[in-house]
């Protein structure tokens, strides 16, 4: 300026929270401040940064969770199947889905089908609801380094966890898959391959995203994290 005053530099505007693919823009976590607070400048540099999880990481987490929960619940369902009159071989084959008809030794087929529902649905559904609500990670997601957050980048509420894990995955996808030869199940889990933000059906329904989880900061010899 001609009056000798110091020049006024324009302040950069804060970037909105977005998700892109194949080179996703970092997702800040927790959620960004309210619009009124954004006028003061860009995001703080010390905020943790997330990017969208890959389909491979999500598929690996799904496989690990189903293996783990299937093994754990088998310690309950196999003894119950034996109590219904099955042998160990018959119980293993029936509960794994290798034979959908109960053995002839079972006098109450309805209870046998209830065991299949318990084997398949109860452990992963209940565990996913509580684990994604309080931490965003099932054991499989923790092993593959991913986490579920809301589309604003915040932790899930109980309502969103219920919508994502119980309503969509269990009450919608499972019955449709039984009617349509598992096509809805495969379509749901393959959908992130073509979605620009790596979303599956449950992410649309509950307004969530699956992102990479930050690795914990290394600790020194005294157990302190780096500054």
């Amino acid at each position: 300026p001609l009056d000798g005053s110091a020049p006024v530099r324009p302040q950069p505007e804060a970037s909105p929270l977005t998700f892109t693919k194949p080179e996703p823009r970092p997702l800040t976590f927790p959620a960004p401040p309210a619009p009124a607070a954004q006028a003061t400048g860009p995001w703080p540099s010390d905020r943790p940064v997330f990017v969208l999880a890959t389909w491979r990481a999500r598929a690996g987490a799904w496989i690990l969770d189903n293996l783990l929960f299937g093994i754990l619940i088998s310690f309950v369902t196999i003894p119950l199947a034996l109590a219904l009159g099955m042998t160990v071989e018959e119980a293993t084959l029936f509960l794994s889905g290798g034979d959908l008809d109960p053995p002839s030794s079972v006098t109450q087929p309805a209870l046998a089908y209830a065991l299949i529902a318990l084997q398949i649905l109860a452990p992963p559904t209940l565990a996913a609801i509580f684990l994604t609500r309080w931490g965003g990670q099932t054991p499989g997601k923790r092993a593959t380094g991913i986490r579920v957050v809301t589309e604003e980048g915040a932790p899930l509420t109980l309502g969103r966890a219920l919508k994502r894990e119980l309503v969509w995955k269990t009450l919608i996808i499972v019955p449709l898959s039984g009617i349509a030869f598992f096509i809805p199940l495969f379509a749901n889990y393959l959908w992130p391959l073509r979605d620009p933000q790596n979303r599956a059906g449950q992410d649309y329904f509950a307004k969530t995203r699956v992102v990479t989880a930050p690795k914990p900061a290394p600790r020194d010899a005294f157990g302190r994290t780096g500054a």
Side-chain angles (χ1 to χ4, degrees):
L2 298 179
D3 58 0
S5 61
V8 178
R9 297 181 179 180
Q11 296 294 324
E13 296 182 357
S15 300
L17 184 65
T18 58
F19 304 80
T20 57
K21 175 185 172 182
E23 296 181 356
R25 180 175 298 183
L27 161 64
T28 54
F29 184 86
Q38 294 180 5
T40 58
W43 306 122
S45 59
D46 58 346
R47 293 169 65 88
V49 175
F50 287 73
V51 295
L52 291 167
T54 63
W55 181 85
R56 181 179 299 180
R58 297 185 64 162
W62 181 79
I63 293 172
L64 290 174
D65 282 336
N66 279 273
L67 287 175
L68 175 62
F69 295 135
I71 292 173
L72 291 177
I73 195 61
S74 65
F75 288 102
V76 176
T77 55
I78 288 182
L80 292 176
L82 297 179
L84 291 177
M86 300 184 196
T87 64
V88 174
E89 293 77 14
E90 290 173 340
T92 303
L93 181 64
F94 179 69
L95 294 174
S96 64
D99 186 1
L100 296 180
D101 294 324
S104 58
S105 58
V106 176
T107 58
Q108 296 178 319
L111 293 179
Y113 288 120
L115 285 182
I116 287 187
L118 179 65
Q119 174 83 23
I120 297 175
L121 301 178
T125 299
L126 294 177
I129 289 171
F130 291 103
L131 292 176
T132 54
R133 165 61 183 91
W134 288 282
Q137 292 179 301
T138 59
K141 288 183 173 61
R142 183 176 295 275
T144 55
I146 60 178
R147 173 177 294 171
V148 183
V149 297
T150 67
E151 63 182 8
E152 297 83 17
L156 265 64
T157 61
L158 181 58
R160 290 207 193 188
L162 287 170
K163 289 179 65 177
R164 191 178 197 275
E165 305 298 334
L166 177 63
V167 178
W168 179 262
K169 290 185 179 181
T170 303
L171 301 182
I172 295 179
I173 290 297
V174 171
L176 289 177
S177 297
I179 297 172
F181 306 101
F182 295 97
I183 293 176
L185 177 67
F186 290 113
N188 183 64
Y189 283 100
L190 292 175
W191 196 264
L193 289 172
R194 66 174 301 277
D195 186 79
Q197 296 184 21
N198 294 13
R199 290 169 292 188
Q202 60 268 20
D203 298 313
Y204 282 98
F205 188 73
K207 297 182 179 180
T208 58
R209 300 291 186 278
V210 182
V211 297
T212 57
K215 296 180 179 180
R219 297 179 178 270
D220 59 17
F222 299 97
R224 300 172 300 187
T225 58

